[in-house]
Every structure is written in C-alpha cells, then in structure tokens.
Amino acid sequence: MRSIRATTLGLLLSAGLAGCVTQGGVQHAPAPSGAATQAAQALYTKGQFDQAAQAYLALADQDSSHRDYYRLLAAEAYRQEGALDRAAPVVADIRRSRLEGEDALRFDALRAEIALKNNDAQTALSLTGKPSARVSPQIDQRLAELRARAQAAAGDPWSAAQTRIELDGQLRGIDREQNRREILALLTGLGAQPLAERGAALPANDPMKPWVVEAQAQLGSITRSPAVLDQAVGTVTGDKGVREGYKVPTKVALLLPLSGPLAGAGAAIRDGFFANYLEAAHNGAPRPEVAVYDSGNDAQHVVAAYDKAVAEGARFVVGPLNRDGVSAIFAKGALPAPMLTLNYPNDNKNLPPAGANEFGLLPETEGAQVADHMADRGMRQATVIVSTDDFARRAGNAFKAEWQARGGTLAGQITLDSGSIDFASQLSEPVGQDPATSGVFISMKPQQARLLLPQLRLAKNTLPVFATSHVYAGGDDPTADRDLEGVEFCDAPWLFDAQSGLPRRAALADALPATKGVAARLFAFGMDAWGLVPYIDWMRGHPGSYLPGATGQLVADEFGRVRRVLIWARFADGVARPVAGSLELEAPATAPNVESGGG
C-alpha cells in the first residue's frame, strides 16, 4: 500500500518544510527566503514535483549552509512524483545532524519508506518509533503509517493493526477509509482461530475489541451482535423531556419507495416514522422539518432522490430502503449530508463511509441471537429446520455459525420445501437428546410452522422449539396458532406494547392499517428510524448506550451500525405473549429484513 494519500499529505508537509511555521506547537527550522526558493515551492504546490526536485537540488548546490535542507525538499518532491528510486541517492547524501526540528523526522520517514521499498522491514522499524517529544499531526501520522507497514512487512500483522487503530481517530475522509480497510485486512489475514484466541485475551474495553469482532464477522466465524448494553441513552432532562445527547438537524429528508413493488413497505415505514415524529411534539422537543422523497425501486432513482434532497437543503437523510440504493450512495464517496440508511449495502463487509449509519433488519443477526438465547439456556445440541426462502436460509446459516462458535453441536439439519405439506420422511425421533440441553431451531413462516409442529410431535420429537420472528403473523389467531404451542420466538417489543414511551399499537390499530399483521414490524421500524435521528451521533460516541425502541433496544457500534436487542415471546393457548423478563438487557435476538424475506 502507498502511504496515506501521499500527494495530499505531501502538500501539507511542504508548507512546514518550505516556510517558517508552527504546527502542533512544534517550531520548524527557518526556511531560506528568496525568489528561487519561492519558485521551487510554487512548482511543488502545483504538483510539478519533478521540476520542483530539480529546483531544490539546484538550490542545494548554490547554498551550502542549507544544502541538506534543500536536498530533503528535493527527496520529498521525488517521493510525491512516485520516484523513490530517484529520491534514494538524494537521501543517502543528506546529513541528519544538519537538519533541525521535525526535518530530522521527515528524513527518517523517507529512509523508512525507501527501506520498505527495498524489503528491509527491520531498518524501517528502527526509523519509525514513536517520537519522544510532541510533534505535528502530519509527521506523527506519517511515521505511524510507515510503522504499521513495517510491522506488517516484518510478519507482525497484529501489531500493525494496533498501530493503525491508534491512527484511526486522527484521520478523515479517504485516508481514514483506506486505513480502516488495512486494519481489517490485517486482522482477517490472521485466520479465524488465531484471531479468536487473540480477541479472547483482550480486556472488554480494549480499542481493538470492536475491530476483532468486525474481522471475525467478515470471516464468518461469528455474526455481529449488539454490544454489551450499559444504560439507556442519556437521562431525561429539562422541561422538554428529551434525553441527554438529543440533537436534531434543521431539515431531514426521508427517502422511501412510494411507488412500485416496494411501495407498501415504504408507506408502512413512512407512517411509523411520522407517528413517532408527531409523538415528540407532545413533550415540546425541537423537531426538524421533514421532506419525503420517492426513491423508487432501483439505484438510479435512489441516487437522484438523495442528490435532490441535498440540493433542497437536507442536512440529514434517512433511507434508502433497497440494498442497491445504499450501495450506490456509498459509492459516491464523501457524503454531502450524513445519513441513516434503512438497509445495508450489497457488500456488507466494508465499513460504512464517513457520515453514514446503517440500520437494517438482517436475518443473520436474528439467527445468531436465537443461538445465543438457546446457549444461554444451557443447551448444547440443536436440530436446525428451515424453509427454502432467502430469509430462512440466511438466518439458518447465521444460527449454525454462532451456535458452533458458542460450543454447540448440530444433531441434524433439515430444509423444508415451502410448497410441501408432508414432512414425515424428513423427521425422526431424537435419540439420546435431553430437553434440558437440546432444542430445535426453526425459521419459516406461520403457515409452514403450523404444519411442522404437529408432525414433529408425531415423530416423537418433544424438544423445545425456538424460532425467528417470521413464525408470528403479527396478531392474535388462537385457532390457527394453537399448533404452535410452546414455541418461543424473538420479535419487536412494540408489537406487544411492551416498550414504554412510544405510541401504543393498540391505540393506533383502528386508524392505521399498517399497524396490523406483519406490516406492523415495518411500522415499528419507521418509528425507530425517527427515534434514532436525534441520538445517533451521541450513541456512537458512548458505547453501551441504547435507545429503547419499537423494534428493540437499539445500540450503535463504533462504525455506525445500529443493532437491535428484541424481546422473547411464547405461544400459549394459541396466543403469543412476551416471556416474563424478556425486556432484560441480556435478552438476545433481532428481526428480519424487508427485502427477499430479510435482506
């Protein structure tokens, strides 16, 4: 990898090299003045690095008292040109003892970069130690980046990742994104088992911990789970009853598909968003102007809607809903307005760009948290039964990965065709499995689950059954759901009016059709989309804080991804009701996505 944006950083360095300035409280050596010096500096600033190097070399020949200083400038210019081979002989002829202030450190940085080009990692390491005294941010960042490269080249990717994590908070824009890609490449390169061992040895508050979790998720060895929840977002303060950290922009744009095949989902989310937005007026909390834009159903329309919203003054964007649209906006690079997406990009391995926050209903998270729930119950063996739809498949894969990561074993794996009604040939009596330590995980829609459960019992399988939220149709139907007796599943607390401080579902049901049935989850999703707007920045800066939401307890990780902790419910006499204590903070689970059954 080339040094952090060499051209941009080099231009910043040239200001310190070619003028008498103070950066970061560090005084640099006075620069010689004169027309020739100014002309060389002008060439450098214009990006004419080769000509600048020649001009500085000519100045070095003419001014013996500043010879080494000018040769350093010439070498920097060659570096910016990408010609380290031409910089090397110039550097070799510089006397470090004749350089003052940070110029000596810049000289070391050049030597280290040349050493790395020559595959001499040990020399580069010896030249890039942490400065003992305070230095300007530019040289500090440059030395750290070179030190990380040297550590990686010396066969120590863990230390290289540590160095880059320390550097992360100092960078912005494309430099930070590139550095973050390098961190994850270093950690994933260790492999799943060594990474797990290293991560297990870290203290809970170690800065590397979230990076290790992210790398493990990219390797598929775990699924990203919510951070340990500490306390609800801030405290209720002041006459307006808002919580600490409440901050709203002047104008918010809501990007949703209001036409085409996803129009129904878009309308339900929109209605939920405004239901919670209007609720905020009851306590006098300041609210921004909100403008709604139809983002259509493809990436082109999404990007057009985002650009239009920004042009019309949006200072924060909520949406879009489709994954292609999220990917297209992220591909734009620097975002003119920060955003809270309502889905994840197609390539969910990359971190969100600066200014972006991701909020979606991933089936992978739900499946993994069901595994956590069963493991926390003391179970060690599971049978996995899933449907053929995309949501069920992805939830099942995540369940298996998390289950095995928790030390569980699989007694069997069964996939049921969504069009079939007779599963007898695929089911068998569990042998040697204790209901206290063994269970069944299912992921499928209610109609199929109602067919499966009686057939499980006929096969003499009486193990406890745990399910994803798709098993619940979103409303009471005692006659149809009596066959689901005893099944536990995770879902949004608002569906059961189990989260205080929100508009009650029961009170809205007659006026808003979107609060009924499976659409209610999207309505709750929209409620949380508004609920996060005032708090998302504060949450990212306070790990462990959570927002009590309609879809669960909401927590944002250091990278801007919002995770959810849902409640657990159980069917009894054909009616689903929350399990006692299921709003406790340790309760796992999450809910499905809106596309292709969750994705």
Side-chain angles (χ1 to χ4, degrees), residues 81-279:
E81 185 71 13
L84 276 178
D85 54 337
R86 299 180 69 184
V90 178
V91 170
D93 196 28
I94 294 174
R95 295 163 292 183
R96 191 180 191 277
S97 61
R98 300 294 296 273
L99 299 173
E100 299 180 23
E102 291 189 0
D103 293 340
L105 295 178
R106 302 184 200 286
F107 174 63
D108 290 342
L110 271 169
R111 291 177 61 202
E113 197 159 353
I114 292 167
L116 285 171
K117 182 176 174 59
N118 294 329
N119 300 314
D120 185 356
Q122 292 305 319
T123 295
L125 278 173
S126 70
L127 292 167
T128 55
K130 293 183 179 180
S132 57
R134 185 182 177 192
V135 297
S136 66
Q138 290 81 17
I139 190 63
D140 190 40
Q141 292 168 21
R142 182 171 171 184
L143 287 171
E145 202 271 341
L146 287 167
R147 182 164 61 253
R149 291 171 59 194
Q151 289 165 330
D156 188 3
W158 182 260
S159 294
Q162 283 181 312
T163 300
R164 288 192 177 278
I165 289 169
E166 292 173 6
L167 180 61
D168 181 67
Q170 304 175 44
L171 302 176
R172 295 293 181 271
I174 192 173
D175 292 340
R176 192 179 197 191
E177 291 182 24
Q178 179 177 334
N179 187 59
R180 289 183 157 202
R181 285 193 293 269
E182 289 292 331
I183 293 169
L184 292 173
L186 289 162
L187 292 176
T188 54
L190 288 168
Q193 187 60 35
L195 186 61
E197 293 170 358
R198 294 264 198 168
L202 292 173
N205 61 347
D206 192 288
M208 288 196 75
K209 198 77 172 181
W211 291 96
V212 170
V213 171
E214 179 68 22
Q216 289 178 296
Q218 291 197 9
L219 288 171
S221 54
I222 66 167
T223 298
R224 302 179 188 94
S225 298
V228 175
L229 303 186
D230 182 15
Q231 61 180 359
V233 167
T235 55
V236 177
T237 58
D239 296 335
K240 295 179 178 177
V242 299
R243 296 177 183 271
E244 179 186 1
Y246 187 98
K247 181 181 69 175
V248 292
T250 55
K251 184 176 181 179
V252 171
L254 181 59
L255 271 57
L256 290 171
L258 301 178
S259 58
L262 289 177
I269 294 170
R270 178 200 60 201
D271 291 350
F273 183 97
F274 280 107
N276 208 8
Y277 173 84
L278 294 172
E279 182 74 10

Side-chain angles (χ1 to χ4, degrees), residues 444-465:
M444 60 193 63
K445 294 178 180 178
Q447 299 89 330
Q448 192 172 31
R450 292 166 187 151
L451 292 170
L452 171 66
L453 266 294
Q455 294 182 58
L456 272 178
R457 297 184 186 107
L458 286 173
K460 299 182 179 180
N461 187 331
T462 58
L463 298 176
V465 178

